[in-house]
Amino acid sequence: MEDRRETPLIRLPCLEERLRLPHVYAKCEMGNPTGTHKDRIAGGLVLAAIRDGAAGVTAGSCGNLGVALSRASRARGLPCTVFVPIRYHHTRSEEMTGLGAVVIAQGDNYEAAVRASRSFARKRRLFDANPVGRGGRIAILAYGAIVDELMAQCPVPLGSIWLPVGNGTCAAGVHARLRHHGVEVRIGVVGSAGNTALTASLASGRLVELDAARLLETEVNEPLVNWSSFHAREAMDAVLGTGGHFCDATDEQLVLASDGMFRHAGLRVSPAGAAGLVGLRAFASQLDRASAHVVVLTG
């Protein structure tokens, strides 16, 4: 079933000159089948469901995981149900239904969609593909492949990896794989200003949850918004344990990062998917010039 290939690593000379760093690259997760890094985890989640003899698979999603899971489920002939937040703008629901999934709009935010999906899984004996429990462990393991590819692709040793964050699952997976290889690489993460529990936790020095009623979801920041990051603890370890960095980005900064990727490198990436670039720019002066610095463009 799995026709996913390793995603391209592209050098960014335009940024090298501006940031005064000689080795800057973009890891282009847009090259995955449904256009985001979520394809890396969908196949493993579906295979786990099949091994369990589950009648189907379900997850809550703001869009990208839902499409990736729908595609992987169709390839294996497994029913898929995706719960999406009612008020989100870019849930990719039409793509999911086109791939044969059932899409249910429920809850005002991402966490509410996940709760609805988890309840549905228990009642229907479906595989819970949400990024918690077993589903989360599968996702963390699968995201480690990003590191394997980077180590093979990058012509100089890695110095830092920059990621957008919501739940922190991808950051946790990258960190786990770096430790497996025994290499020291800084991990930088970027959330949405005032809307990401993980970066709020890093700023506070402890795990915190945000007031869901005060979050501001927009068409730009939706993939980064949550009041409770499911893998906040592991992602905090990833940043703090590697001497990495974190920051938040405004919608304007996210849009500028996306526009810059297209204007200077011809890469089409969503504003949220380009969030790592905001962090790289902010901390460039603190990075080692002899190493490679990679922005993971997640979709």
Short mmCIF file of all heavy atoms in Angstrom, two decimals, residues 5 9 11 32-33 35 40-41 74 115 117 139 141 156 188 194 203 227 232 238 241 247 257 271 279 288 291 293 295:
data_model
loop_
_atom_site.label_atom_id
_atom_site.label_comp_id
_atom_site.label_asym_id
_atom_site.label_seq_id
_atom_site.Cartn_x
_atom_site.Cartn_y
_atom_site.Cartn_z
N ARG A 5 7.44 8.11 -0.71
CA ARG A 5 8.89 8.11 -0.88
C ARG A 5 9.49 9.17 0.04
O ARG A 5 8.79 10.01 0.58
CB ARG A 5 9.26 8.42 -2.34
CG ARG A 5 8.67 7.43 -3.34
CD ARG A 5 9.35 6.07 -3.23
NE ARG A 5 8.88 5.17 -4.28
CZ ARG A 5 7.90 4.31 -4.15
NH1 ARG A 5 7.23 4.25 -3.01
NH2 ARG A 5 7.55 3.51 -5.14
N LEU A 9 15.08 17.30 0.03
CA LEU A 9 15.81 18.28 0.83
C LEU A 9 16.39 19.29 -0.15
O LEU A 9 17.17 18.94 -1.03
CB LEU A 9 16.92 17.62 1.63
CG LEU A 9 17.70 18.55 2.56
CD1 LEU A 9 16.82 19.00 3.73
CD2 LEU A 9 18.96 17.87 3.09
N ARG A 11 18.29 23.01 -0.89
CA ARG A 11 19.14 24.07 -0.34
C ARG A 11 18.49 25.43 -0.59
O ARG A 11 17.86 25.65 -1.63
CB ARG A 11 20.52 24.02 -0.98
CG ARG A 11 21.54 24.90 -0.28
CD ARG A 11 22.94 24.65 -0.78
NE ARG A 11 23.90 25.46 -0.05
CZ ARG A 11 25.21 25.40 -0.24
NH1 ARG A 11 25.70 24.57 -1.15
NH2 ARG A 11 26.02 26.18 0.45
N ASN A 32 4.82 14.55 0.11
CA ASN A 32 4.08 13.35 0.48
C ASN A 32 2.77 13.27 -0.32
O ASN A 32 2.30 14.28 -0.85
CB ASN A 32 3.78 13.35 1.98
CG ASN A 32 5.01 13.00 2.80
OD1 ASN A 32 5.63 11.96 2.59
ND2 ASN A 32 5.37 13.87 3.74
N PRO A 33 2.17 12.08 -0.42
CA PRO A 33 1.01 11.89 -1.31
C PRO A 33 -0.14 12.86 -1.11
O PRO A 33 -0.73 13.33 -2.08
CB PRO A 33 0.59 10.45 -1.00
CG PRO A 33 1.85 9.77 -0.62
CD PRO A 33 2.63 10.80 0.15
N GLY A 35 0.20 15.74 0.55
CA GLY A 35 0.75 17.07 0.67
C GLY A 35 1.22 17.52 2.03
O GLY A 35 1.60 18.67 2.21
N ARG A 40 3.15 10.31 6.76
CA ARG A 40 4.16 9.46 7.40
C ARG A 40 3.56 8.56 8.48
O ARG A 40 4.07 7.48 8.75
CB ARG A 40 5.25 10.33 8.03
CG ARG A 40 6.13 11.06 7.01
CD ARG A 40 7.27 11.77 7.70
NE ARG A 40 8.14 12.43 6.75
CZ ARG A 40 9.17 11.84 6.12
NH1 ARG A 40 9.45 10.58 6.39
NH2 ARG A 40 9.91 12.51 5.27
N ILE A 41 2.48 9.01 9.10
CA ILE A 41 1.93 8.24 10.22
C ILE A 41 0.67 7.48 9.85
O ILE A 41 0.31 6.51 10.52
CB ILE A 41 1.65 9.14 11.43
CG1 ILE A 41 0.54 10.15 11.15
CG2 ILE A 41 2.93 9.88 11.82
CD1 ILE A 41 0.16 11.00 12.36
N ARG A 74 -8.56 3.85 2.54
CA ARG A 74 -9.12 3.40 1.26
C ARG A 74 -8.21 2.37 0.61
O ARG A 74 -8.68 1.36 0.04
CB ARG A 74 -9.33 4.58 0.31
CG ARG A 74 -10.03 4.17 -0.98
CD ARG A 74 -10.22 5.31 -1.94
NE ARG A 74 -8.95 5.77 -2.52
CZ ARG A 74 -8.87 6.61 -3.54
NH1 ARG A 74 -9.98 7.10 -4.09
NH2 ARG A 74 -7.70 6.99 -4.00
N ARG A 115 -12.14 14.37 21.14
CA ARG A 115 -12.98 13.71 22.15
C ARG A 115 -14.13 12.96 21.51
O ARG A 115 -14.46 11.83 21.90
CB ARG A 115 -13.51 14.74 23.15
CG ARG A 115 -12.50 15.24 24.14
CD ARG A 115 -13.18 15.91 25.33
NE ARG A 115 -14.03 17.01 24.91
CZ ARG A 115 -13.62 18.27 24.75
NH1 ARG A 115 -12.35 18.56 24.96
NH2 ARG A 115 -14.47 19.21 24.39
N SER A 117 -14.27 11.75 18.49
CA SER A 117 -13.73 10.59 17.78
C SER A 117 -13.39 9.46 18.74
O SER A 117 -13.69 8.29 18.47
CB SER A 117 -12.47 11.01 17.01
OG SER A 117 -11.77 9.89 16.52
N ALA A 139 2.61 7.27 15.99
CA ALA A 139 2.95 8.51 15.28
C ALA A 139 4.37 8.96 15.62
O ALA A 139 5.14 9.35 14.72
CB ALA A 139 1.94 9.60 15.62
N LEU A 141 6.92 7.20 16.57
CA LEU A 141 7.87 6.31 15.90
C LEU A 141 7.97 6.62 14.41
O LEU A 141 9.07 6.69 13.85
CB LEU A 141 7.43 4.86 16.10
CG LEU A 141 8.34 3.79 15.49
CD1 LEU A 141 9.71 3.83 16.14
CD2 LEU A 141 7.72 2.40 15.65
N VAL A 156 26.36 17.95 5.10
CA VAL A 156 27.15 18.32 6.28
C VAL A 156 26.36 17.92 7.53
O VAL A 156 25.15 17.73 7.46
CB VAL A 156 27.47 19.83 6.30
CG1 VAL A 156 28.36 20.21 5.13
CG2 VAL A 156 26.20 20.66 6.27
N GLY A 188 14.17 23.27 17.17
CA GLY A 188 13.45 24.52 17.35
C GLY A 188 12.00 24.35 16.96
O GLY A 188 11.69 23.68 15.97
N GLY A 194 0.00 33.04 21.26
CA GLY A 194 -1.08 32.99 22.23
C GLY A 194 -2.05 31.85 22.06
O GLY A 194 -3.04 31.76 22.80
N ALA A 203 7.47 28.52 27.59
CA ALA A 203 7.68 29.86 28.13
C ALA A 203 7.49 29.88 29.65
O ALA A 203 8.17 30.63 30.36
CB ALA A 203 6.71 30.84 27.48
N TRP A 227 -5.47 24.11 22.98
CA TRP A 227 -5.40 24.54 24.37
C TRP A 227 -4.67 23.53 25.24
O TRP A 227 -4.24 23.83 26.35
CB TRP A 227 -6.79 24.83 24.95
CG TRP A 227 -7.77 23.69 24.95
CD1 TRP A 227 -8.70 23.41 24.01
CD2 TRP A 227 -7.92 22.68 25.96
NE1 TRP A 227 -9.43 22.30 24.35
CE2 TRP A 227 -8.97 21.82 25.55
CE3 TRP A 227 -7.26 22.42 27.17
CZ2 TRP A 227 -9.36 20.72 26.31
CZ3 TRP A 227 -7.67 21.31 27.92
CH2 TRP A 227 -8.71 20.49 27.49
N ALA A 232 3.02 17.56 24.85
CA ALA A 232 3.76 18.71 25.34
C ALA A 232 4.99 18.30 26.14
O ALA A 232 6.07 18.86 25.97
CB ALA A 232 2.86 19.61 26.18
N ALA A 238 12.26 17.61 24.05
CA ALA A 238 12.96 17.71 22.77
C ALA A 238 13.68 19.05 22.65
O ALA A 238 14.84 19.12 22.21
CB ALA A 238 11.98 17.52 21.62
N GLY A 241 16.05 19.57 26.02
CA GLY A 241 17.10 18.57 26.10
C GLY A 241 18.16 18.68 25.02
O GLY A 241 19.23 18.08 25.12
N CYS A 247 9.53 29.74 19.83
CA CYS A 247 8.90 31.06 19.75
C CYS A 247 7.50 30.89 19.17
O CYS A 247 7.13 29.80 18.71
CB CYS A 247 9.71 32.04 18.89
SG CYS A 247 9.80 31.63 17.13
N ALA A 257 6.38 34.15 5.82
CA ALA A 257 7.25 32.98 5.66
C ALA A 257 6.82 32.14 4.46
O ALA A 257 7.65 31.70 3.66
CB ALA A 257 7.24 32.14 6.93
N PRO A 271 0.99 28.75 5.22
CA PRO A 271 1.59 29.58 6.26
C PRO A 271 1.94 28.80 7.53
O PRO A 271 3.04 28.95 8.07
CB PRO A 271 0.52 30.64 6.52
CG PRO A 271 -0.18 30.77 5.20
CD PRO A 271 -0.24 29.37 4.66
N GLY A 279 11.16 30.72 13.29
CA GLY A 279 12.09 30.42 14.36
C GLY A 279 13.54 30.47 13.89
O GLY A 279 14.41 31.01 14.59
N ASP A 288 25.38 27.46 14.86
CA ASP A 288 26.71 27.10 14.40
C ASP A 288 26.81 27.21 12.88
O ASP A 288 26.04 26.58 12.15
CB ASP A 288 27.00 25.66 14.85
CG ASP A 288 28.32 25.13 14.35
OD1 ASP A 288 29.18 25.95 13.97
OD2 ASP A 288 28.48 23.90 14.31
N SER A 291 27.45 23.89 10.63
CA SER A 291 26.46 22.82 10.56
C SER A 291 25.31 23.19 9.62
O SER A 291 25.16 24.34 9.21
CB SER A 291 25.90 22.53 11.95
OG SER A 291 26.92 22.17 12.84
N HIS A 293 21.28 23.64 8.87
CA HIS A 293 20.09 24.03 9.60
C HIS A 293 18.89 23.82 8.68
O HIS A 293 18.83 24.36 7.57
CB HIS A 293 20.22 25.46 10.08
CG HIS A 293 21.46 25.67 10.89
ND1 HIS A 293 21.57 25.20 12.18
CD2 HIS A 293 22.67 26.20 10.57
CE1 HIS A 293 22.78 25.47 12.64
NE2 HIS A 293 23.48 26.07 11.68
N VAL A 295 14.77 23.63 7.89
CA VAL A 295 13.38 23.99 8.16
C VAL A 295 12.49 22.89 7.58
O VAL A 295 12.55 22.62 6.38
CB VAL A 295 13.01 25.34 7.52
CG1 VAL A 295 11.55 25.65 7.78
CG2 VAL A 295 13.90 26.45 8.07
#
